Amino acid sequence: MRIEELPTPCFVVDEAAIEKNLKILNGVMQRTGAKIILAQKAFSMTTMYPLIGEYLSGTTASGLFEARLGYEEMGKENHVFAPAYREDEIDEIISICDHIIFNSFSQLEKFKDKALAAGKKVGLRVNPECSTQVGHEIYDPCSTGSRFGTKLEDFRPELLDGVSGLHFHTLCQQNSDDLATTLQAFEAKFGKWLPQMDWVNFGGGHHITRDDYDIATLEACIKRMQDLYGLEVYLEPGEAVALNAGYLIASVLDFHKNGIDIAILDTSATCHMPDVLEMPYRPPLIGSGQPDEKPFTYRLGGQTCLTGDVIGDYSFDEPLQCGDRLVFGDMAIYSMVKTNTFNGMPLPAIAVQSKDGSCQIVRQFGYQDFKLRLA
Ligand SMILES: *Cc1c(COP(=O)(O)O)cnc(C)c1O
């Protein structure tokens, strides 16, 4: 069907845009020999995994369920990191993952031998204590009190036996200058153990597929690790894989007036794009302007009872009408994976737009998807 015929609300993922991103990532892999894997936390649309698997080396997960998804749906290299693993899950995790990354030496002590006995690669996440993002504490693993990664002061080199790699993840939507800064801190603190390692993982947060991303600096960082320490380099971006590759289409249901013109949509910030409130950010909306930039300004809100269920203020060339379709951009990442059915909101359908422009619905949800989560 055509995109105009899709039901709303609906996520539409643009296959051509995903492939364009994958080609950029694969270019880095080809030129440097680094391996890039998908961080499923940002984008777990399994319909796209066969395509992603053509270009990337595999998947990474934040726990058992994501690890299973990567194992079942992509079946390539499968990495996992969690701040702590459960005793009752570790055996299954070890059986389906090939790189198991631990957050601390106490976790290593508990589970390392099991993983090694199964022939799996064991890594340690370190905290280079180098914050390169300002004002985004909840996305900064180097922030004070963060639970992520072992700090140098807690390092117990006598327990490194069997550990074949170090992992750091400190970035979020950042360019490669911040990676270079982080790498300096990482080397200054942990460099003396790198010669005994086989691999290093630079984590995610690299906005590699953004127009202004400096790929040459990224590649220089990769080459440095390869040349100086003989390491295999992994990157595990999430966002960069599906950046600007999806839409959320919604319809205008009605209007309200309270100091400002308000349009009520059949989508919801809190249920369908929670990062709009959590990050927070104002999602792009095709054909719209900033408030008062165009003649007709509206506050766009959802159907839930939450007063703060507001997507943002946008302006338009013409007054909105009931039934108008609005297309929010960059909705593939961190939206589809974070939806919820709070207040009984239906979940958006999920569709793919193929390279020829035609759309197919791959999943629709209903009342049961709401009810089955409750008891
Ligand atoms: C979130 C996360 C990623 C992916 O981050 P993006 O910002 O989506 O690229 C990779 N690795 C780890 C450990 C993460 O927590």
Side-chain angles (χ1 to χ4, degrees), residues 41-166:
K41 174 182 83 188
F43 185 67
S44 314
M45 186 169 175
T46 50
T47 317
M48 291 288 162
Y49 279 22
L51 176 70
I52 295 171
E54 282 176 33
Y55 291 95
L56 303 188
S57 302
T59 41
T60 187
S62 313
L64 175 60
F65 287 178
E66 280 186 355
R68 254 186 83 171
L69 201 68
Y71 178 76
E72 290 175 1
E73 301 292 330
M74 198 175 304
K76 298 187 75 178
E77 275 195 40
N78 203 23
H79 297 214
V80 64
F81 162 80
Y85 295 100
R86 298 173 59 105
E87 300 269 2
D88 59 358
E89 290 184 349
I90 192 71
D91 289 336
E92 191 177 354
I93 285 177
I94 290 173
S95 76
I96 60 176
C97 295
D98 24 52
H99 281 62
I100 326 261
I101 296 161
F102 295 98
N103 196 40
S104 63
F105 280 98
S106 63
Q107 284 277 297
L108 271 176
E109 276 187 299
K110 257 193 205 165
F111 299 126
K112 178 179 78 173
D113 290 343
K114 258 189 173 180
L116 290 173
K120 302 309 172 93
K121 291 185 177 148
V122 165
L124 176 70
R125 178 167 174 174
V126 297
N127 181 343
E129 298 176 73
C130 174
S131 281
T132 49
Q133 21 182 340
V134 272
H136 269 158
E137 280 232 318
I138 73 161
Y139 296 108
D140 182 3
C142 293
S143 63
T144 317
S146 147
R147 66 191 184 287
F148 293 119
T150 299
K151 298 205 306 191
L152 181 60
E153 66 188 57
D154 299 318
F155 224 67
R156 294 160 66 189
E158 71 279 9
L159 295 180
L160 280 181
D161 202 31
V163 175
S164 57
L166 297 183

Side-chain angles (χ1 to χ4, degrees), residues 36-39 60 79 101 167 169 201 203-206 234-238:
I36 300 185
I37 55 180
L38 165 71
T60 187
H79 297 214
I101 296 161
H167 173 288
H169 168 73
N201 186 323
H206 318 279
Y234 285 93
L235 288 102
E236 47 182 33

